[in-house]
Amino acid sequence: MASLAVHSKKHKVCVVGSGNWGTTIAKVIAENVKENKDIFDAEVQMWVFEEEVQIPKDSKHFDPGSELCKKPQKLTQLVNGLHENVKYLPGIQLPENIIANPDVVDAVKHATILIFNLPHQFIGRICDNIKGKHLPYARGISCIKGVEVSDQGCDLFSDSIGQKLGIYVGALSGANIASEIALEKWCETTVAYDPPHMDSRQPTPEGTPAGSPHGSSATLQDLNSVATTPKGKKQNLMALPAEYPPLNHANIKKLFHRPYFHVRMVDDVAGVSLGGALKNVVALAAGWVDGLGWGDNAKAAIMRVGILETIQFGEAFYSKTFKRETITEESCGVADMITSCSGGRNFRCAKMSIKEGKSINEIEERELNGQKLQGTSTAYEVHSFLKAQGMEKKFPLFTAVFDVLEGNKKPEDIPELIEPHNE
Amino acid sequence: MASLAVHSKKHKVCVVGSGNWGTTIAKVIAENVKENKDIFDAEVQMWVFEEEVQIPKDSKHFDPGSELCKKPQKLTQLVNGLHENVKYLPGIQLPENIIANPDVVDAVKHATILIFNLPHQFIGRICDNIKGKHLPYARGISCIKGVEVSDQGCDLFSDSIGQKLGIYVGALSGANIASEIALEKWCETTVAYDPPHMDSRQPTPEGTPAGSPHGSSATLQDLNSVATTPKGKKQNLMALPAEYPPLNHANIKKLFHRPYFHVRMVDDVAGVSLGGALKNVVALAAGWVDGLGWGDNAKAAIMRVGILETIQFGEAFYSKTFKRETITEESCGVADMITSCSGGRNFRCAKMSIKEGKSINEIEERELNGQKLQGTSTAYEVHSFLKAQGMEKKFPLFTAVFDVLEGNKKPEDIPELIEPHNE
């Protein structure tokens, strides 16, 4: 039986990205591959954008007298020599089986599993670099939060990476703060993974029976197949050869689940991605309401309405694959909403803007060191998209956030704006 | 058409109870009946447990020089004279159409709508007092949070009141703090109301066609019918006479909905009641985890698991009527969970107990002035009930809370205890 076979090949993982969150995920994965040697190669490649780095004070290896600390060093050499990402995750001991690699093409070339964990503005360039250089049957997981929204449409990062590379890409999102996970403080996350059903023992979607004389198809664990993205686009996927252990929910979970990082697997990539994006818009409203002194109940009401509008968004624009339970019952939904509306930066800046009577842009400038709030940009993008669809009124909370940001409405108006008048 | 008929009678409301929450609900209702004179009588009876009260300093009418403040006065006379409940809701101006009545039998006698809002330990005695003295076709709404759990079973307060009086009783619960609603700070609530379908234009459940020569049945808006409680018990209900406007969701909503108190109507009485009870157990775990310094994500994970176990409880024991959306999408579910795990007393005491290394009983004694935490008693009751059903292991979070309270486990063990090992 295929399920009992010892597979001759193992999965090799490459983490594309090595910031705070990328390095943390690499740590999680490196710990897990060591414990699942039957499935995964023991070495985890991590692509590191090469830079010269001076060891900072919060590094475990900071010692003003040492040679190492006297002048800048290459970051990859520091990671591989000290097993610490001194720049982006200082103070955290990394497993020795993380191999930092400055060459992204070299890092991905043998990987059957690509973990995308880099700032979204670099996605395009990195995909251009590795396109055609990775294994054609590789599978991906995007840990990049958010969605790309414009007048024209709303795209998931997992989809755009998948389309660019011609591979299937799932998504990971949850109520997660990288630095806390790095310290092994307990939290949960959600991984969405649902490549087309391509088991070679089943007929393919085209009806070809399993094991039929189709060249290499009999040796493929899952036949080449046509996938449909959450937006309904068709995509040709190459099957994973049968020499590899299957990449099903159980095995993907083994890659991410730790005693301090509990994973729940779902199929719904759109839900996981939307949860991580739209909560930032809701967090602004929660911050305003809290800033007005309206108390925890008002804040909880905003979150509840935010959950409903997120569901409505998913049902309107990703009806093929979206499931409301992803938002109401998973870490990427309700839990991330709660966390973001409790102490996230969008929430905090919105609250300060009310308490100090300043615009949120002023607060953003003062508090975020040049960084931008994701909630405000997402609110504008979502509004522009909804307007183009003629659906602003169906999303009264999202629209209210836009109107308050624009100065058309006051935060005090929110209850009236989101009250259903036609019931 | 019946739906266009001007009904010759109006609904009369009695609020049974006049504490902080009872008086607040009376204020809400009194405001609403004035705005819906076609449906409701303009006078709202409020049963007040009579006591002699000295006007306190936080009353609007406190004036040390005045005659009124010199000696204790009857509370009903103060409410009716000053339009303020100086003892239980001082400082809040009440509408003049609230009539405080010390005689509960007199208060309920003309009411078609009975609002139960009193401490649960008084339910039995009050029901004994009014049984047979109220209109037989009256309908009730219970605003009493919690459920009665024992080894033998789990009973909703709405059910036990309904059974005792032989009337249908719905439930109101949400992320609500009485004093904030009294100040007209915005929040939401959920009202569950689903009497058996008894429209006289439809066949009855027994198949009697509408308007058939059945004595008074042709003049009844809904025929007498057999109701099934959420626990599956049969109950004979008397129909509401056709002279009254129908008591459907739209009209019940008119009774409670205010610009500062948004109401969502549902059918699911069990879900509304369970949400308000079980969140207190979850709030203890959230407090412990927060006390350990594990951060907002860990707390959100606890809430998420708590939501799932609440759903599971409803599906296991109220499968006939329970709907998971009541927990995941309504104020009585997710929003009340969030509020209780943010600043509620169960959460706060649990957190303190960790931070100070003291037992929760010590904290309770010090902080609550002799009052008891609802979370601990509910945790014990729920555990005892689940154990009697042999279902402890299916509710690992509820069971973990019990085990920590008992000293069998430590709060640090919770992630391991709730981790699903058999996936």
Side-chain angles (χ1 to χ4, degrees):
Chain A
M1 291 288 102
S3 61
L4 295 176
V6 175
H7 298 277
S8 60
K9 292 192 173 178
K10 293 179 183 182
H11 289 290
K12 209 163 160 50
V13 184
C14 174
V15 178
V16 180
S18 54
N20 179 255
W21 185 213
T23 308
T24 300
I25 281 293
K27 172 179 179 291
V28 164
I29 289 172
E31 289 167 4
N32 278 328
V33 297
K34 280 197 280 189
E35 292 179 11
N36 293 281
K37 288 185 177 161
D38 51 329
I39 305 172
F40 303 109
D41 189 285
E43 190 185 283
V44 173
Q45 287 279 321
M46 175 168 81
W47 170 62
V48 174
F49 178 78
E50 190 68 287
E51 30 186 335
E52 298 273 326
V53 172
Q54 190 90 38
I55 294 181
K57 285 192 179 153
D58 45 1
S59 161
K60 295 158 72 83
H61 296 89
F62 180 73
D63 171 5
S66 81
E67 276 305 303
L68 208 58
C69 291
K70 284 199 175 132
K71 60 181 177 124
Q73 311 280 332
K74 284 192 165 150
L75 183 53
T76 51
Q77 286 175 9
L78 289 173
V79 172
N80 290 331
L82 305 176
H83 308 296
E84 181 188 358
N85 185 336
V86 297
K87 176 147 187 189
Y88 295 106
L89 198 63
I92 301 294
Q93 182 71 38
L94 299 177
E96 302 194 359
N97 55 333
I98 294 180
I99 310 298
N101 190 336
D103 179 349
V104 70
V105 171
D106 189 63
V108 303
K109 71 181 176 193
H110 298 302
T112 50
I113 303 173
L114 300 169
I115 311 297
F116 296 93
N117 203 330
L118 69 173
H120 65 88
Q121 58 272 29
F122 301 138
I123 293 174
R125 189 166 59 77
I126 288 297
C127 286
D128 290 343
N129 287 348
I130 64 176
K131 186 167 172 56
K133 314 285 174 59
H134 56 82
L135 295 175
Y137 46 77
R139 300 283 182 258
I141 304 275
S142 161
C143 305
I144 305 157
K145 278 211 182 173
V147 290
E148 283 178 290
V149 199
S150 66
D151 289 13
Q152 283 73 45
C154 172
D155 289 309
L156 314 179
F157 290 129
S158 50
D159 265 8
S160 43
I161 297 170
Q163 295 280 335
K164 275 177 188 136
L165 302 182
I167 64 174
Y168 175 82
V169 181
L172 179 152
S173 183
N176 304 142
I177 293 170
S179 52
E180 293 186 356
I181 298 165
L183 289 167
E184 305 189 0
K185 289 191 181 180
W186 174 68
C187 69
E188 296 186 316
T189 201
T190 315
V191 177
Y193 189 80
D194 185 34
H197 186 66
M198 301 192 292
D199 187 323
S200 62
R201 285 155 298 164
Q202 303 281 333
T204 66
E206 294 81 30
T208 320
S212 68
H214 251 258
S216 67
S217 70
T219 69
L220 291 179
Q221 186 181 58
D222 35 33
L223 296 174
N224 300 343
S225 185
V226 178
T228 306
T229 71
K231 284 286 283 285
K233 288 184 191 158
K234 296 287 179 204
Q235 191 184 14
N236 286 306
L237 289 188
M238 187 161 165
L240 185 70
E243 289 82 4
Y244 290 97
L247 282 181
N248 50 24
H249 275 194
N251 285 345
I252 294 282
K253 183 171 176 177
K254 285 184 182 136
L255 204 56
F256 293 105
H257 190 84
R258 297 296 300 155
Y260 57 85
F261 190 55
H262 283 198
V263 169
R264 301 238 310 175
M265 298 295 306
V266 301
D267 288 340
D268 174 14
V269 176
V272 167
S273 306
L274 290 176
L278 297 174
K279 54 142 198 179
N280 291 321
V281 179
V282 181
L284 293 175
W288 290 328
V289 158
D290 208 47
L292 290 170
W294 287 3
D296 284 343
N297 290 314
K299 207 172 80 173
I302 291 288
M303 290 187 230
R304 193 195 66 76
V305 175
I307 287 169
L308 291 192
E309 289 198 10
T310 304
I311 292 171
Q312 209 187 324
F313 195 95
E315 290 184 339
F317 305 114
Y318 293 91
S319 59
K320 284 193 172 59
T321 59
F322 178 82
K323 296 197 181 88
R324 67 196 298 131
E325 291 79 10
T326 311
I327 303 302
T328 59
E329 298 178 18
E330 301 301 337
S331 178
C332 62
V334 58
D336 201 12
M337 178 72 78
I338 293 169
T339 303
S340 302
C341 295
S342 300
R345 51 165 65 175
N346 291 287
F347 169 78
R348 282 184 288 114
C349 288
K351 182 171 174 175
M352 281 182 219
S353 82
I354 300 293
K355 291 217 154 195
E356 303 178 23
K358 291 184 174 143
S359 82
I360 198 155
N361 295 334
E362 275 179 85
I363 303 284
E364 182 184 52
E365 235 166 78
R366 187 187 72 199
E367 294 290 318
L368 294 188
N369 238 330
Q371 287 187 40
K372 291 285 171 191
L373 282 178
Q374 199 136 31
T376 51
S377 59
T378 307
Y380 277 98
E381 289 162 14
V382 165
H383 178 263
S384 158
F385 172 66
L386 289 174
K387 197 174 170 189
Q389 314 291 318
M391 289 177 76
E392 295 158 278
K393 288 197 177 154
K394 298 206 165 173
F395 295 85
L397 179 61
F398 295 164
T399 302
V401 170
F402 169 81
D403 279 331
V404 172
L405 287 172
E406 279 288 277
N408 304 331
K409 301 284 180 186
K410 295 196 304 279
E412 291 85 344
D413 301 330
I414 291 178
E416 165 70 11
L417 292 171
I418 66 177
E419 178 170 14
H421 284 280
N422 302 318
E423 271 183 281
Chain B
M1 291 285 102
S3 60
L4 296 176
V6 175
H7 299 277
S8 60
K9 292 192 172 179
K10 292 180 185 182
H11 288 289
K12 210 164 158 53
V13 184
C14 174
V15 178
V16 181
S18 55
N20 178 256
W21 185 213
T23 308
T24 300
I25 281 293
K27 172 179 178 291
V28 164
I29 289 172
E31 289 166 4
N32 277 328
V33 298
K34 279 197 280 189
E35 292 179 10
N36 293 281
K37 289 185 176 159
D38 50 329
I39 306 172
F40 304 109
D41 188 285
E43 190 185 282
V44 173
Q45 287 279 321
M46 175 167 81
W47 171 62
V48 173
F49 178 79
E50 190 69 288
E51 29 187 334
E52 299 273 325
V53 172
Q54 190 89 36
I55 294 182
K57 284 192 180 152
D58 46 0
S59 160
K60 295 159 70 85
H61 297 88
F62 179 74
D63 171 5
S66 80
E67 277 306 304
L68 209 57
C69 291
K70 282 197 176 134
K71 59 180 176 118
Q73 312 280 333
K74 284 194 167 149
L75 183 54
T76 50
Q77 285 175 9
L78 288 173
V79 172
N80 290 332
L82 304 176
H83 308 296
E84 181 188 359
N85 185 335
V86 298
K87 177 149 187 190
Y88 295 106
L89 199 62
I92 301 293
Q93 182 69 38
L94 299 177
E96 302 194 358
N97 55 332
I98 294 180
I99 309 298
N101 190 335
D103 178 348
V104 70
V105 170
D106 189 63
V108 303
K109 70 181 176 197
H110 298 303
T112 49
I113 303 174
L114 300 168
I115 311 296
F116 296 92
N117 203 332
L118 70 172
H120 64 88
Q121 58 271 27
F122 301 137
I123 293 175
R125 188 166 59 77
I126 288 297
C127 285
D128 290 344
N129 286 350
I130 65 177
K131 187 168 171 53
K133 314 283 174 59
H134 56 81
L135 296 176
Y137 47 77
R139 299 284 181 260
I141 303 275
S142 161
C143 305
I144 304 157
K145 277 211 183 175
V147 291
E148 282 178 292
V149 199
S150 67
D151 290 12
Q152 284 73 48
C154 173
D155 289 311
L156 314 179
F157 290 128
S158 50
D159 265 8
S160 43
I161 297 168
Q163 295 279 334
K164 276 176 187 136
L165 302 182
I167 63 173
Y168 175 83
V169 181
L172 178 152
S173 183
N176 303 143
I177 294 170
S179 52
E180 292 186 356
I181 298 166
L183 289 167
E184 305 189 1
K185 287 190 182 183
W186 175 68
C187 69
E188 296 186 314
T189 202
T190 315
V191 177
Y193 188 80
D194 184 34
H197 186 68
M198 299 192 296
D199 186 325
S200 62
R201 285 155 297 162
Q202 301 283 332
T204 67
E206 294 82 29
T208 320
S212 68
H214 251 259
S216 66
S217 70
T219 68
L220 291 180
Q221 186 181 55
D222 36 30
L223 295 173
N224 300 344
S225 183
V226 178
T228 307
T229 71
K231 285 285 283 284
K233 287 182 190 159
K234 297 285 179 201
Q235 192 185 13
N236 287 306
L237 289 189
M238 187 160 167
L240 185 72
E243 290 82 6
Y244 289 97
L247 282 181
N248 49 22
H249 276 194
N251 285 346
I252 294 283
K253 184 171 176 176
K254 285 183 182 139
L255 203 55
F256 293 105
H257 190 84
R258 297 295 302 156
Y260 57 86
F261 190 55
H262 284 197
V263 168
R264 300 238 310 175
M265 299 293 306
V266 300
D267 288 342
D268 175 13
V269 176
V272 167
S273 306
L274 290 176
L278 297 174
K279 53 140 199 180
N280 290 322
V281 179
V282 182
L284 293 175
W288 290 328
V289 158
D290 207 47
L292 290 170
W294 288 2
D296 283 344
N297 291 313
K299 209 172 80 174
I302 292 288
M303 291 186 228
R304 193 196 67 78
V305 176
I307 287 169
L308 291 192
E309 289 197 13
T310 305
I311 291 171
Q312 209 187 323
F313 195 96
E315 291 184 339
F317 306 115
Y318 293 92
S319 59
K320 283 195 172 58
T321 60
F322 178 80
K323 295 197 180 88
R324 65 195 300 130
E325 291 78 12
T326 311
I327 303 302
T328 59
E329 298 177 18
E330 300 302 336
S331 178
C332 62
V334 57
D336 202 11
M337 178 70 79
I338 294 171
T339 303
S340 302
C341 294
S342 301
R345 51 165 64 176
N346 292 287
F347 170 78
R348 282 185 288 113
C349 287
K351 182 172 175 174
M352 280 182 218
S353 81
I354 299 292
K355 292 217 153 197
E356 302 178 24
K358 290 183 174 144
S359 81
I360 200 156
N361 295 335
E362 276 179 84
I363 302 286
E364 182 184 51
E365 235 167 78
R366 186 188 73 198
E367 296 289 320
L368 295 187
N369 240 330
Q371 287 188 38
K372 291 285 172 194
L373 282 178
Q374 200 137 26
T376 51
S377 60
T378 306
Y380 277 97
E381 289 162 15
V382 165
H383 178 263
S384 158
F385 172 66
L386 290 175
K387 198 175 168 187
Q389 315 290 319
M391 288 177 76
E392 294 158 279
K393 288 196 178 157
K394 297 205 166 173
F395 295 84
L397 179 62
F398 295 164
T399 302
V401 170
F402 169 81
D403 279 330
V404 172
L405 288 171
E406 278 290 276
N408 305 331
K409 301 284 181 186
K410 297 196 301 286
E412 291 86 343
D413 301 329
I414 291 178
E416 164 69 12
L417 292 170
I418 65 177
E419 178 171 11
H421 285 281
N422 302 320
E423 270 184 278

